[in-house]
Amino acid sequence: MKVLNFGSLNLDYVYQVNHILIPGETLASKERNTFCGGKGLNQSIALAKAGIPVYHAGMIGEGGEILLETCEQNGVNTKFIRKIEGPCGHTVIQVDENGQNCILLYGGANRSITRDFVDEVLAFFEKGDILLLQNEVNELDYIIDKAYEKGMMIILNPSPYDSALDACDLSKISLFLVNEIEGYQITGEKEPEQILSKIKDLYPKAKIVLTLGGDGSVYQDETGVYHQGIFKVKTVDTTAAGDTFTGYFISSILEAMPVEKGLELAAKASAIAVSRPGATASIPLRDEVLNWKNE
Ligand code: RIB
C-alpha cells in the first residue's frame, strides 16, 4: 500500500507582531523569518517524521527549491513534485505575542495543477492506496473523482474551506479531518455533536476527526465516538499544529493503532509543534513524541 499526498508547498513569510493587524492599521513587525510550509507539505513532513513513507505531488515555482530540499531531507518522495515558471505558493503570516496567527495565502504554483498531471501521478497508484488532500491546490474535484475510480482510499482535510469544495463529491471521502469552522461549512451545524451527527447522516461510511481547539478533538466511526484533550504547553506559534495532528493521526491509522492511542499521539505531536516557531520546522520526530514528557 502506497501513500500519496497531493497538496500545496508554500514559502511562509512569518512576521512577529505585538498584535494581529486590524483594518486600516500600519504596524512595524519585530522580526521576519521564512519557513517551509503549505498544508500539503506540512502534512507530508508530519507523515514522514511519524515514520510513514509518503509520495508528495504538487508544484513549486521560482524560489521553491528549498521546499523540494526540505522534502528530500525529511524522506518525503519527490518523484511527483514539478518546478514551473512563475511565483511559488507563499503566505504572509502574522504571529502575535500569544503565538496566535493569521495567514494570507497566495496560491501561485499550487494553482497550476493540470488534469494531465493528475492522470500522470495517479497512474502510479492503485486500488487500496491512500490519497491525502487539503484545499490549497486546484483540480480538487477531478483528483477526488479519478482517485475514487481507481479504488484509492481518500482522506480529506478541507482546509481552507472555499467554494472549490462545493464542486467535490464528498461522498467519495473515507475520512474527514475538520475543525469546527469547516465542520459548520460542510454541515451547517455549529455544535460538535450536531456536526458529527450530520456528517453521519450525509456520509454514513465516512470516519471523521473533529478538532476543537483548546477542547481537544473527537473521532467518530461506526464503532463509536472517542475524545482526546489537549496537552497544554507554552504557545510559541500555532502554525502547522493542525497539520501535525493530521499527519500523526493518519500514521496511527496506517499502523492500526487503537483510536485512543492514535488521538493521544497526534495531540502530543501537535502540542510539541505549537511550542516551536515555523511550520515544517516545528514538526517533531516520532521518537521525540513517544518520549515527550509535558513539563
Ligand atoms: O496550516 C499551516 C499552513 O497553512 C502554513 O504553513 C501556510 O503555508 C498555509 O498553507
Side-chain angles (χ1 to χ4, degrees), residues 8 10-12 36-39 42 91 93 103 105 136 239-240 243 279:
S8 60
N10 292 333
L11 295 167
D12 287 345
C36 295
K39 293 187 196 305
N42 297 340
T91 60
I93 302 182
I103 301 179
L105 176 66
E136 287 188 345
T239 311
D243 300 326

Side-chain angles (χ1 to χ4, degrees), residues 7-257:
S8 60
L9 303 104
N10 292 333
L11 295 167
D12 287 345
Y13 300 111
V14 180
Y15 296 82
Q16 293 294 329
V17 290
N18 286 328
H19 61 268
I20 307 282
L21 285 171
I22 59 168
E25 183 180 13
T26 301
L27 178 70
S29 60
K30 296 189 279 187
E31 193 182 332
R32 188 190 89 156
N33 290 292
T34 305
F35 292 109
C36 295
K39 293 187 196 305
L41 176 60
N42 297 340
Q43 292 179 21
S44 283
I45 300 277
L47 278 164
K49 287 191 172 180
I52 301 296
V54 55
Y55 292 82
H56 189 97
M59 302 274 186
I60 55 172
E62 283 148 20
E65 294 77 11
I66 190 171
L67 301 169
L68 196 60
E69 285 160 20
T70 296
C71 284
E72 285 161 356
Q73 284 159 8
N74 286 284
V76 173
N77 191 305
T78 59
K79 184 180 168 79
F80 298 114
I81 298 178
R82 299 283 180 269
K83 168 123 199 267
I84 60 166
E85 284 180 10
C88 206
H90 63 262
T91 60
V92 173
I93 302 182
Q94 298 174 44
V95 177
D96 73 12
E97 289 181 329
N98 300 315
Q100 298 305 315
N101 68 18
C102 68
I103 301 179
L104 176 64
L105 176 66
Y106 178 76
N110 297 309
R111 310 296 307 172
S112 302
I113 307 295
T114 62
R115 294 189 171 194
D116 284 348
F117 179 55
V118 174
D119 293 344
E120 180 196 331
V121 172
L122 293 184
F124 185 73
F125 295 89
E126 56 214 352
K127 186 175 165 64
D129 287 344
I130 309 289
L131 172 66
L132 171 60
L133 297 167
Q134 311 76 31
N135 186 30
E136 287 188 345
V137 297
N138 62 312
E139 294 293 0
L140 202 64
D141 54 339
Y142 184 77
I143 301 171
I144 290 173
D145 289 346
K146 290 293 160 182
Y148 188 79
E149 264 174 43
K150 290 190 82 98
M152 293 178 79
M153 175 192 161
I154 308 172
I155 301 174
L156 177 66
N157 168 220
S159 183
Y161 198 99
D162 66 19
S163 59
L165 285 150
D166 298 338
C168 296
D169 182 353
L170 299 185
S171 70
K172 296 174 178 172
I173 305 303
S174 296
L175 169 64
F176 292 95
L177 292 113
V178 299
N179 63 25
E180 278 170 291
I181 296 168
E182 293 145 7
Y184 168 70
Q185 285 161 319
I186 292 176
T187 65
E189 301 289 348
K190 289 194 172 150
E191 294 303 319
E193 293 75 21
Q194 301 305 323
I195 294 171
L196 293 173
S197 161
K198 192 71 179 280
I199 288 270
K200 206 182 208 172
D201 290 347
L202 291 169
Y203 311 112
K205 285 185 279 180
K207 304 173 194 326
I208 175 172
V209 177
L210 177 63
T211 55
L212 304 167
D215 291 332
S217 56
V218 190
Y219 170 84
Q220 171 180 277
D221 68 9
E222 61 289 350
T223 68
V225 176
Y226 303 80
H227 295 259
Q228 170 67 51
I230 59 159
F231 292 92
K232 287 209 172 115
V233 291
K234 182 173 172 353
T235 302
V236 172
D237 182 354
T238 56
T239 311
D243 300 326
T244 304
F245 186 100
T246 295
Y248 266 86
F249 185 70
I250 294 170
S251 81
S252 77
I253 293 180
L254 299 179
E255 292 180 346
M257 281 172 73

